[in-house]
Amino acid sequence: MDDFTGKNILVLGGSRGIGAAIVRRFAKGGGKVAFTYAGSKDAAEALTGETRAEAIRTDSADRDALIATVASRGALDVLVANAGTLVMGDPLTLEADAIDHMIDVNVRAPYHAAVEAARKMPDNGRIIVIGSVNGDFMPFPGGAAYALTKSAVQGMVRGLARDFGDRAITVNCIQPGPTDSDMNPANGPMAEFMRSFMAIKRHIRTDEIAELAAYIAGPHGAMMTGAMHTIDGGMGA
Ligand code: NDP
C-alpha cells in the first residue's frame, strides 16, 4: 500500500464511478482528499461519510469556478482529472451544444485544472488525467466526438509533461477500457457489445483503475511521465 499520509489530493469528478474509487483509494492510503462533483449531491455526501474526503460542488464546465476551486486547495501533491461525460450517436443528429459541453468537461477542464494546480504544486507532484482507450482507437460508429476529447488529452499530457518536467512533476493519462460504472454498466444494454472487443471478456472494476492511479501517484511512479497507461482487458490488442 503506497503511503499518501498528509498528501494534499484533489479528484475532479469524484462522486461516482471511477472517480469515487480513486477517492476511496487515496483516502485509504492516508491522503487529505477532496473531490468535486456537479449533480450527485447524495452520492457525494455518502462518499464523504464513508471516507472523510471533502466534497466540493464545482461544475467542470464552469471554467472560472473550476480554476477557483483548484486554486483554493493550495499546494496539491496530486491532481486527478477524472470528471467526464459521454455523448454518443449519429454525428448528423447529435446536438451541437451537447458536443461542446462534452469538450468543455473532458478537454478544457483537465487542461485549465492541470495548469492551475501546477502553479503551486511542489516538486515531484503528480497530475493524472483519466482518458480512454478511445483516445487510441474508436472501434464502432457514434463515438467520434468522445474519441476527439480523449485524443486531445493525450496531446495535453505529453506537452505538460515537458512543461513541468524540470520540477519532476509527472503528467500521465490513464486509458480505461469498458469499466463498470453508471456510464458503462456491466449489466447494461451495451455491455455485451463492449465486451466483444476485449481479450478478457469482463468489465474492468473501478478499483482496478484506482490501483493504477495510486501506483502512478506513488514513489515508484516518479519516472513515468508524458505517458498513456492503458488498462482495457486487451481491447486494443
Ligand atoms: P460516471 O458517469 O460513472 O461518473 C462520472 C463522474 O464525473 C461523476 O462523479 C460525475 O459527478 C463527474 N462529473 C461529470 N460531469 C461533471 C462536471 N461537469 N463537473 C464535475 N463533475 C462531473 O463515469 P465513469 O466513472 O465511468 O467515468 C469517469 C472517467 O473515466 C470519465 O472521464 C470517462 O470518460 C472515463 N472512462 C470511462 C470508461 C468506462 O467504461 N466507464 C472507459 C474509459 C474512460 P456528478 O454525478 O456529481 O455530476
Side-chain angles (χ1 to χ4, degrees):
M1 171 86 56
D2 291 311
D3 184 6
F4 296 104
T5 303
K7 296 288 186 190
N8 186 12
I9 298 169
L10 178 63
V11 179
L12 303 180
S15 53
R16 295 182 291 114
I18 292 170
I22 292 171
V23 168
R24 285 190 186 93
R25 179 60 182 81
F26 284 124
K28 198 169 72 175
K32 179 185 161 224
V33 185
F35 66 93
T36 65
Y37 68 100
S40 301
K41 187 164 180 286
D42 291 349
E45 287 175 355
L47 188 61
T48 291
E50 176 192 334
T51 63
R52 319 311 318 161
E54 185 181 342
I56 306 166
R57 189 178 180 287
T58 304
D59 186 342
S60 278
D62 183 338
R63 185 193 63 199
D64 293 344
L66 177 67
I67 289 172
T69 292
V70 174
S72 75
R73 302 308 299 174
L76 287 168
D77 296 292
V78 181
L79 172 75
V80 181
N82 166 77
T85 62
L86 169 67
V87 178
M88 288 198 63
D90 181 350
L92 302 183
T93 56
L94 287 174
E95 290 287 336
D97 283 349
I99 298 299
D100 285 0
H101 180 263
M102 178 169 65
I103 292 170
D104 285 350
V105 174
N106 293 11
V107 180
R108 292 177 66 197
Y111 177 83
H112 291 298
V115 170
E116 189 58 34
R119 293 186 200 285
K120 297 177 195 155
M121 189 169 265
D123 289 3
N124 298 304
R126 301 283 196 266
I127 296 170
I128 299 171
V129 181
I130 308 300
S132 167
V133 287
N134 295 134
D136 284 336
F137 58 90
M138 191 65 242
F140 42 80
Y146 181 71
L148 173 163
T149 69
K150 297 303 185 179
S151 296
V153 295
Q154 295 181 334
M156 170 193 130
V157 160
R158 293 188 180 103
L160 292 182
R162 297 279 181 188
D163 291 323
F164 305 143
D166 59 348
R167 294 156 57 193
I169 291 171
T170 70
V171 188
N172 286 282
C173 184
I174 292 177
Q175 301 196 138
T179 304
D180 186 17
S181 71
D182 295 338
M183 183 185 280
N184 191 358
N187 58 1
M190 296 291 288
E192 283 301 331
F193 179 66
M194 290 292 174
R195 284 193 288 268
S196 72
F197 297 100
M198 302 169 80
I200 301 173
K201 297 192 186 304
R202 71 159 171 85
H203 271 52
I204 301 154
R205 296 191 316 270
T206 56
D207 66 284
E208 292 173 315
I209 308 293
E211 283 301 328
L212 180 54
Y215 185 89
I216 291 169
H220 300 296
M223 289 304 288
M224 299 160 71
T225 195
M228 313 307 136
H229 305 273
T230 298
I231 171 168
D232 69 347
M235 193 170 186

